[in-house]
Amino acid sequence: MVPSHWGESVAGGLGFAAAGWLQLVFAAVVLTRPSRALLWLGAALNGAAIAAWAVSRTAGLPFGLHAWHPQSAGFVDITCVVFEGVLVVACIAAAVRPHFGARHARAGMSVAAIASFGVLALTTSVLASPGARNHAAHSHGDTAAAGHTHGAPAAGGHTHGIPAVDDKGFSLLHNGQHDHTMAIHHLDGPTNAELERQLAITRDVARRTPTVAAARAAGYGRVGPYFPGIGAHFMREYAPLTTNPDGVVDDADLRNPFMLIFDGTQPTSRMTGFMYYSVSPVEPAGFVGRNDTWHYHEAICFKITATGINVPYGLDHSATPKQCAAAGGHILPRTGYMLHVWSVPGFTMTNNYGGVFGEANPKLRCADGTYYMLPVDDWAQHPFNICKSQ
């Protein structure tokens, strides 16, 4: 979790790195030079890690991009906390009664063996879970995308961290429940041909609604401001929405995207891509192939106005009911699964930025060519554009 959190906050990244190294060092030392003092220290350090996790899930940590915004609990972090809790109990027990294990050595070995297999099984499940790869598990707007990556993914499954050069704020963008990096998978000939056929349908939709004016004439209304990296979203206001309950994107779904994405909110702003949506209870199968990375959002504050739907705290920032009520909005506890598709000519992306399903599009810049945004607390006063340079 260090790379993804480092992009939001140096303190957050350092905290995860420190916790990980301290736990590894403790494991090494306690096996070679155990002592009561070390056991009590291990219990204290892991107890502090559990306390920090509890604060981040209830009140929110006081620093970073999501300061004072509670994060959601996922399979990965809950499993880690359970392990830490067991370790705290074991450390205290061993410190208080150091001879207990010696008197019950055979039973202790059996319990240790069973516990070891349990840890291995759970750890394997965690590493294979969506939260630890390139799909959902932590909390779109601050932009990308999550699900929560920070840095540009490269072809062949390799990823880059925050670049050494000044990227004008692009690496700080993230989008959705991710907390991990995306990977580009090679597609065989038939699969690639089918994907191109699907994308050709989306490009036909773009030709029919090339501008915000055309989209509004077709019944689409604005949802939130313009975000660098993910643009301005417009959703159909009158016709039934395409919510894709089966999680499979067929041709009818392709012709009716849930949202259209533009490079601004003005009538002449150009179409750049699409956002597809699914209320499937599990991550959608989506497009053909393995490169479509879906995400979702939690505790999103929205407010319906005469000019569209405002999102006072953005599409990626969780809000408390009190914060949302103060902005005159309502909380949506959890969205369905979402996917950005950058297939419109002029706004397509290379694999270095995630390809056609990339989280954020570097071609969607602020007025000064950067990707820097206003502080989150100022967003409610800027419903059309949250760039520092507007």
Side-chain angles (χ1 to χ4, degrees):
M1 297 301 179
V2 173
S4 59
H5 284 86
W6 200 294
E8 297 177 4
S9 162
V10 172
L14 287 173
F16 274 92
W21 278 111
L22 285 171
Q23 289 169 338
L24 286 171
V25 170
F26 170 78
V29 178
V30 80
L31 290 174
T32 56
R33 302 179 64 182
S35 67
R36 272 200 177 98
L38 182 62
L39 290 168
W40 284 115
L41 179 60
L45 288 174
N46 285 278
I50 294 173
W53 175 85
V55 170
S56 73
R57 266 57 184 174
T58 53
L61 295 174
F63 54 82
L65 196 59
H66 299 279
W68 300 118
H69 288 276
Q71 300 293 319
S72 60
F75 180 51
V76 175
D77 54 287
I78 289 175
T79 303
C80 290
V81 168
V82 169
F83 284 167
E84 288 167 340
V86 171
L87 184 57
V88 169
V89 172
C91 284
I92 294 174
V96 173
R97 303 189 65 182
H99 302 298
F100 181 84
R103 291 198 300 269
H104 303 276
R106 182 172 295 179
M109 289 298 290
S110 299
V111 172
I114 294 171
S116 296
F117 280 114
V119 169
L120 287 172
L122 272 174
T123 303
T124 301
S125 298
V126 164
L127 293 175
S129 73
R133 50 192 172 92
N134 48 342
H135 300 293
H138 206 113
S139 162
H140 175 232
D142 201 8
T143 40
H148 152 289
T149 76
H150 307 274
H158 300 290
T159 57
H160 303 288
I162 299 174
V165 298
D166 180 13
D167 66 354
K168 301 178 181 180
F170 185 78
S171 62
L172 302 178
L173 305 179
H174 63 281
N175 172 31
Q177 298 273 53
H178 292 284
D179 273 340
H180 34 52
T181 52
M182 298 172 63
I184 301 297
H185 301 278
H186 175 74
L187 304 180
D188 59 37
T191 303
N192 197 57
E194 173 58 17
L195 177 60
E196 179 54 34
R197 188 195 68 81
Q198 291 179 316
L199 297 178
I201 295 176
T202 69
R203 287 191 286 269
D204 183 60
V205 175
R207 283 190 290 270
R208 288 187 279 113
T209 50
T211 63
V212 164
R216 287 196 177 279
Y220 286 84
R222 178 183 58 82
V223 178
Y226 172 82
F227 294 97
I230 64 168
H233 289 54
F234 283 73
M235 182 174 70
R236 196 184 298 274
E237 295 179 321
Y238 308 112
L241 296 174
T242 305
T243 55
N244 197 314
D246 61 1
V248 177
V249 177
D250 58 25
D251 287 6
D253 297 325
L254 291 170
R255 295 187 180 94
N256 294 279
F258 192 76
M259 291 190 190
L260 309 178
I261 305 175
F262 295 85
D263 64 356
T265 58
Q266 299 301 313
T268 56
S269 296
R270 298 169 296 169
M271 163 83 82
T272 66
F274 311 90
M275 193 270 278
Y276 288 89
Y277 190 90
S278 175
V279 294
S280 169
V282 297
E283 188 172 342
F287 283 69
V288 68
R290 300 169 56 201
N291 289 325
D292 53 328
T293 300
W294 294 72
H295 64 273
Y296 61 86
H297 312 298
E298 292 181 332
I300 299 302
C301 181
F302 70 96
K303 179 180 180 180
I304 299 176
T305 72
T307 59
I309 300 176
N310 290 340
V311 281
Y313 295 97
L315 293 168
D316 184 51
H317 287 77
S318 297
T320 65
K322 183 178 180 180
Q323 290 169 330
C324 191
H330 303 276
I331 288 285
L332 175 64
R334 187 190 186 281
T335 70
Y337 286 98
M338 303 176 181
L339 175 72
H340 282 162
V341 179
W342 309 106
S343 57
V344 179
F347 292 93
T348 57
M349 299 193 298
T350 66
N351 285 348
N352 285 338
Y353 293 98
V356 70
F357 302 116
E359 297 182 5
N361 193 324
K363 297 181 180 180
L364 298 177
R365 306 176 181 89
C366 293
D368 62 353
T370 71
Y371 305 91
Y372 296 115
M373 296 176 288
L374 293 167
V376 177
D377 292 339
D378 295 343
W379 289 9
Q381 286 73 50
H382 297 83
F384 295 100
N385 191 320
I386 54 85
C387 286
K388 279 190 175 180
S389 60
Q390 299 186 32

